[in-house]
Amino acid sequence: MATAIAHPNVALVKYWGKRSESDNVPATPSLSITLGGLATRTSVAAAERDQLRMDGEPAADAKVEDFVAAARRRWQLPPLAVDTSSDFPTGAGLASSASGFAALATAIDAAFRLRLPAAERAAWARRGSASAARSVFGGFVALDPDDGDCVARPLLAGDDWPLEVVVAVTSDAAKRVPSTVGMARSQSTSPFYAAWTESTPVDFDIASAAVRARDFEALADVAEHSCFKLHALMLSTRPPLVYWNAATLAAVHRLRELRDQGVPVFASIDAGPQVKAVCAPGRGGEVAGAIETVPGVLRVIRSGLGDGARLLDEAP
């Protein structure tokens, strides 16, 4: 038996769409930060039959089942008992699949002493969720489909530029359209999809340079552009993908007001209604106080940048 922990990540330069469905390779590069304030904990053990528990309850999940089956074929594994839980809402736009598959790949690796290098664990985690490849690493992480075998790689350690993130939770409900379904729909119906795939590598290069230079304003500009461009792509999909609610929009306006007042903060929103406010070191309290009073915001979660997926010591 082995237990691993992994954290979700927020893509500052987003990806949306797949280049290869079979290997789960994204259509565009992405750049993310790993969030230390939220976590998924996953235990794996040999069993008489495959079984899955999620947040303490028996569950069925086709993506997890497919992932376990692929791992079994690759390493001749026995049936697995998988027990996973997260301390934040799942399926609600907070990258629970990223932390989930990163933790699962890490736990399988440890339980059966596969001794996979981190890059190979990331490649396997990507099979479950493309963004899971990034959660294998901490800090700032890049995932580029044009970089060899589409292996995630750390760009900058979190301690080297300790940005803070305030998550405005506006709903605990699972989103109606899962990301995988939404991506395929956008890819096949949006007239803006080609422009998205052409422009995102440019955003990725600009954001990567901004991270290396610790240039907050440059990163804020390109990250917000990537975020709102993504949601414009979603809205141009048929039928449209509308993941925001009223509180999402109100929080965006509040963050824009803060930024206009000189507060170093910007918004990032994935496929869901939650707003992630990324701010300069030491500004998290100020930003949290400003957005927790936004009508419709259920609560805020403060986070620093987190470590990559890792094994937990289960010894008493």
Side-chain angles (χ1 to χ4, degrees), residues 87-295:
D87 60 9
F88 59 95
T90 59
L94 286 173
S96 57
S97 61
S99 55
F101 281 105
L104 179 56
T106 300
I108 290 174
D109 175 51
F112 298 98
R113 297 179 174 85
L114 303 179
R115 298 182 175 84
L116 301 178
E120 190 171 348
R121 272 194 291 121
W124 269 93
R126 192 194 71 224
R127 293 170 178 262
S129 167
S131 57
R134 301 190 306 249
S135 280
V136 170
F137 300 97
F140 299 81
V141 186
L143 181 64
D144 188 349
D146 292 323
D147 185 9
D149 296 324
C150 189
V151 175
R153 55 184 173 82
L155 189 64
L156 185 70
D159 290 344
D160 290 339
W161 196 20
L163 300 184
E164 299 182 37
V165 182
V166 179
V167 181
V169 179
T170 67
S171 173
D172 289 325
K175 54 197 176 190
R176 293 182 179 180
V177 181
S179 295
T180 300
V181 175
M183 288 182 194
R185 187 186 295 175
S186 295
Q187 201 159 350
S188 62
T189 68
S190 173
F192 302 150
Y193 188 76
W196 166 259
T197 57
E198 291 170 5
S199 62
T200 297
V202 177
D203 297 339
F204 175 76
D205 289 342
I206 293 171
S208 298
V211 168
R212 293 189 183 98
R214 282 74 154 177
D215 187 335
F216 188 87
E217 281 303 313
L219 182 61
D221 286 343
V222 69
E224 280 202 342
H225 179 61
S226 177
C227 169
F228 295 132
K229 186 166 53 175
L230 168 64
H231 287 275
L233 173 66
M234 292 172 172
L235 290 172
S236 69
T237 299
R238 291 185 174 178
L241 300 167
V242 185
Y243 287 110
W244 294 13
N245 57 33
T248 307
L249 186 58
V252 167
H253 282 303
R254 180 65 57 83
L255 292 176
R256 174 51 60 179
E257 291 169 0
L258 289 176
R259 194 169 173 196
D260 288 345
Q261 293 165 11
V263 178
V265 64
F266 63 88
S268 185
I269 309 165
D270 293 313
Q274 328 300 357
V275 180
K276 296 89 172 181
V278 183
C279 51
R283 307 303 289 266
E286 177 184 5
V287 172
I291 63 174
E292 66 185 355
T293 59
V294 171

Side-chain angles (χ1 to χ4, degrees), residues 26-130:
T28 59
S30 57
L31 187 151
S32 68
I33 48 176
T34 303
L35 302 184
L38 303 90
T40 296
R41 178 185 177 120
T42 300
S43 297
V44 167
E48 294 183 358
R49 59 180 177 81
D50 284 339
Q51 48 192 294
L52 172 64
R53 294 179 66 84
M54 301 180 74
D55 295 319
E57 300 293 334
D61 188 294
K63 291 177 71 174
V64 174
E65 292 164 4
D66 290 346
F67 186 88
V68 169
R72 175 174 298 119
R73 291 191 298 269
R74 173 65 177 82
W75 291 292
Q76 291 77 54
L77 302 182
L80 300 182
V82 177
D83 191 341
T84 185
S85 61
S86 297
D87 60 9
F88 59 95
T90 59
L94 286 173
S96 57
S97 61
S99 55
F101 281 105
L104 179 56
T106 300
I108 290 174
D109 175 51
F112 298 98
R113 297 179 174 85
L114 303 179
R115 298 182 175 84
L116 301 178
E120 190 171 348
R121 272 194 291 121
W124 269 93
R126 192 194 71 224
R127 293 170 178 262
S129 167

